Amino acid sequence: MREILRTNDPVLISYAQSLLKDVGIDSVVFDGHTSILEGSIGAIPRRIMVIDEDADRARSILSDSDLDV
């Protein structure tokens, strides 16, 4: 799996996952539970991960949507 986005913004994570889902790319959020354990102070960003084969296409989609990847 490859990381395509790292952020503390839950709205941005939801938006990015929605964009990817609309084009048929499955994604997984890593570190979501870790950020909750640290008290949600934003010290540990969450990561959106996709399979290796989808990484370039996913980055392109997010970039085309003006998300900084």
Side-chain angles (χ1 to χ4, degrees), residues 11-25:
V11 175
L12 181 58
I13 290 170
S14 176
Y15 177 60
Q17 284 193 295
S18 176
L19 289 172
L20 296 173
K21 184 178 180 181
D22 285 348
V23 295
I25 297 176

Side-chain angles (χ1 to χ4, degrees), residues 31-58:
D31 303 322
H33 295 293
T34 305
S35 67
I36 291 170
L37 289 174
E38 52 87 14
S40 297
I41 60 173
I44 300 174
R46 294 174 193 101
R47 299 175 288 158
I48 295 180
M49 309 290 284
V50 298
I51 60 172
D52 293 341
E53 294 80 17
D54 289 337
D56 291 334
R57 185 168 165 235

